Amino acid sequence: MTFSRTARWATGWLLAAAWALSFPLFSSLAPHRLWGWCAAAGYLGAAVATALGRRRAALAAALLGAVAVPLLWLVLTGQGQSEVTVIERSGRLLLESGRLYVDRPAHVEEYTPYLPGMALLGIPRALLGGDGGGDGWVVRLLGDARIWCAAVLFGCLGAARRLLVGGTGRGRVGGPTGGPTGGPGRLLPVLVASPVVALPLSVSGVDLPLAGLCCLALAGAAAGRPGPAGAALAGACALKWTALPAVAVAVALLAARRGGRPAVRCALVAAGGTALLVLPAALLQPTELWRQVFAFPTGRAEVPTPASSPLPGHLLAELGPWGWYLAVGLLLAGGLAVALSLLARPPRTVSAAADRLALGLTLAFLLAPAGRFGYLALPVLLSVWARSVTLPGVSRVVTGSFRLRPSDGRPRVRNERSGGHFARRPPRIE
């Protein structure tokens, strides 16, 4: 039994609506419940519009219900996850004292589990002043860290697309990428409307800049631009240390496509940029950086981390010290396996690189001693994003298979997929 394209899209929107409705039913967080009601209405509207053949209206309904309404409501009313307050506090501390971390934090709200780059997204709140409560709507909107997290994400995705298009201005290379209306890049608005992006965008936004910079780094590597790729990696590594696997994947992609010298240049730019952004804070507050950025997220600080979803690594860590070490050992083994795969079979396309990075991050999030189900949205975002863009001459190619036309005798080229890289075999005449 096969389903039409309309039926598949309508089913997808209905599944998204069911997922959104689970938050009002099971979540204890008010922002999540609000998002769930709004998003469910938007996704149901999208399903109805799709069934009626109104695909643009369906996308508009999903974006309105899952992104625009809950984001604006939560921002203007000063609601959100604690991560928003943490980022804005870091920006205020940076401007006031040059420090980023609260000394000797006693409560979970006082911990800042991010590297110094994240504090830059909290500076607008510090510059505009106010606390997001009784301020005017302009201050609330422009000062909220979620808005700047989203700006970094969309800016990076736009820059990544320009790198992959190569400045030709052509959006279609080798055919459509499978978006809702058939053109390349049309899958990106669907990705934004999906729960993978819409939920974190509305309630916290903290992982979106990391995702955007990783996408930009992979695009730069695929386009053979080691400088931009290294700069994007430096920005990502200055936000969270979980961005480190992206360095290995981007360097492997560059080495496979352009050789060792561009790969080394990318690695040097990434290392130098990360050191420039992180080293001042590491020298000023080394103990707090270690306690809050490394010990706290892995469950080794004095205050337990709230990231306690029942993932395999967390379940092992709950068994005692030996369980924690076992989880860390499995985590390191998974990282080693992905690293060896990069050496044995390096990725040659942006899609292959995104999938490899998504695999590594998925293993890391599953096996980490502490984690959340929400972290798994990042690997999904990477894989879907890679399929929303088209790389000229790489993602789809024409192999050398010819057949003579009976009418005019000219050779006709038959298109074949070659797994994302050029076919090596010579043409054959049929």
Side-chain angles (χ1 to χ4, degrees):
M1 180 178 180
T2 59
F3 292 93
S4 66
R5 183 172 180 174
T6 298
R8 291 196 300 269
W9 277 99
T11 302
W13 291 126
L14 288 175
L15 291 175
W19 174 255
L21 280 174
S22 68
F23 286 90
L25 297 177
F26 302 107
S27 177
S28 60
L29 301 176
H32 287 78
R33 294 197 299 270
L34 175 75
W35 178 86
W37 287 120
C38 296
Y43 294 144
L44 288 174
V48 172
T50 300
L52 297 176
R54 305 289 298 275
R55 293 177 180 172
R56 293 184 182 276
L59 183 57
L63 287 171
L64 182 66
V67 179
V69 171
L71 175 62
L72 289 176
W73 179 266
L74 292 172
V75 167
L76 295 179
T77 58
Q79 301 180 63
Q81 289 184 200
S82 59
E83 291 89 337
V84 179
T85 303
V86 169
I87 295 174
E88 294 173 356
R89 182 187 63 213
S90 297
R92 185 181 68 254
L93 289 175
L94 179 61
L95 286 183
E96 292 177 352
S97 63
R99 294 171 171 262
L100 299 172
Y101 306 104
V102 176
D103 289 323
R104 299 183 180 278
H107 307 286
V108 65
E109 295 82 6
E110 297 179 341
Y111 277 81
T112 303
Y114 311 121
L115 287 167
M118 196 71 76
L120 300 178
L121 301 174
I123 288 181
R125 167 67 68 194
L127 292 176
L128 292 172
D131 57 4
D135 310 311
W137 68 268
V138 175
V139 173
R140 297 185 192 181
L141 185 64
L142 297 182
D144 197 283
R146 282 167 289 192
I147 300 300
W148 298 100
C149 289
V152 173
L153 171 68
F154 297 136
C156 287
L157 294 184
R161 180 162 180 79
R162 287 193 294 272
L163 282 174
L164 292 175
V165 171
T168 62
R170 294 179 295 137
R172 182 185 299 275
V173 182
T177 59
T181 56
R186 299 293 178 86
L187 192 60
L188 187 57
V190 179
L191 177 62
V192 175
S194 71
V196 174
V197 175
L199 174 60
L201 176 61
S202 300
V203 301
S204 68
V206 67
D207 288 321
L208 300 182
L210 177 63
L213 287 166
C214 286
C215 292
L216 180 57
L218 295 182
R225 302 288 297 277
L233 289 171
C237 292
L239 297 177
K240 283 187 171 186
W241 57 268
T242 50
L244 290 175
V247 178
V249 174
V251 169
L253 176 60
L254 258 174
R257 292 182 56 81
R258 298 300 175 114
R261 183 172 296 180
V264 171
R265 181 183 172 190
C266 174
L268 291 177
V269 172
T274 303
L276 185 65
L277 293 170
V278 174
L279 195 57
L283 294 176
L284 188 62
Q285 293 181 285
T287 301
E288 291 305 330
L289 188 144
W290 173 260
R291 176 188 289 123
Q292 300 189 38
V293 178
F294 295 98
F296 177 68
T298 56
R300 305 300 286 180
E302 296 84 355
V303 177
T305 173
S308 56
S309 296
L311 298 171
H314 177 70
L315 295 177
L316 285 175
E318 288 288 292
L319 299 177
W322 67 270
W324 188 90
Y325 286 109
L326 178 58
V328 171
L330 291 174
L331 176 62
L332 295 176
L336 179 60
V338 174
L340 291 176
S341 76
L342 293 175
L343 294 174
R345 191 176 180 180
R348 296 180 179 274
T349 68
V350 68
S351 294
D355 289 344
R356 198 74 59 88
L357 178 56
L359 174 62
L361 291 174
T362 299
L363 289 175
F365 295 147
L366 289 177
L367 299 175
R372 287 174 172 162
F373 286 114
Y375 295 165
L376 298 173
L378 176 56
V380 175
L381 191 155
L382 287 168
S383 292
V384 177
W385 163 80
R387 285 154 180 79
S388 72
V389 293
T390 302
L391 185 58
V394 174
S395 59
R396 287 175 172 85
V397 299
V398 178
T399 66
S401 179
F402 296 87
R403 185 168 51 198
L404 293 179
R405 284 183 181 175
S407 58
D408 53 14
R410 292 183 298 174
R412 183 172 63 189
V413 179
R414 184 175 67 196
N415 291 331
E416 297 176 355
R417 298 183 186 272
S418 64
H421 52 82
F422 291 102
R424 300 287 185 180
R425 58 188 173 86
R428 69 176 183 270
I429 304 297
E430 297 180 349

